[in-house]
Amino acid sequence: MKASLKQQAILLRNQGYSLNEIKEIVPVSKSTLSLWLRDIELNHKAQQIIKSKMTNGQIAARKSKLAHT
């Protein structure tokens, strides 16, 4: 069972899912996901998707912070 969960996590990561997104789908801890996925080399498309999510998250956090000051 764990092997199939790991394969699912790897597949999702290669599609550009973040660890938090994968954690919502694959029922294991984030630390387990981190161990499973730390040696995965992402293709260019997956890197761009994750980078885009990070940038969008940073923008949203900044707007939220400014709204609360």
Side-chain angles (χ1 to χ4, degrees):
M1 182 166 149
K2 284 265 187 176
S4 64
L5 292 176
K6 183 176 180 179
Q7 286 301 98
Q8 183 181 13
I10 291 169
L11 178 66
L12 291 169
R13 187 65 170 165
N14 282 327
Q15 292 175 5
Y17 283 72
S18 70
L19 292 181
N20 285 330
E21 291 171 324
I22 296 170
K23 187 176 71 143
E24 296 296 319
I25 300 167
V26 180
V28 297
S29 70
K30 190 173 177 182
S31 60
T32 298
L33 289 174
S34 179
L35 288 172
W36 286 352
L37 303 173
R38 67 180 170 193
D39 295 328
I40 301 298
E41 291 191 30
L42 298 174
N43 60 43
H44 182 71
K45 184 177 179 181
Q47 288 176 4
Q48 293 301 318
I49 291 169
I50 292 170
K51 186 177 180 180
S52 170
K53 289 176 187 177
M54 286 175 36
T55 303
N56 291 339
Q58 290 167 341
I59 291 168
R62 179 73 177 149
K63 286 180 182 178
S64 175
K65 184 175 181 179
L66 290 174
H68 290 88
T69 56

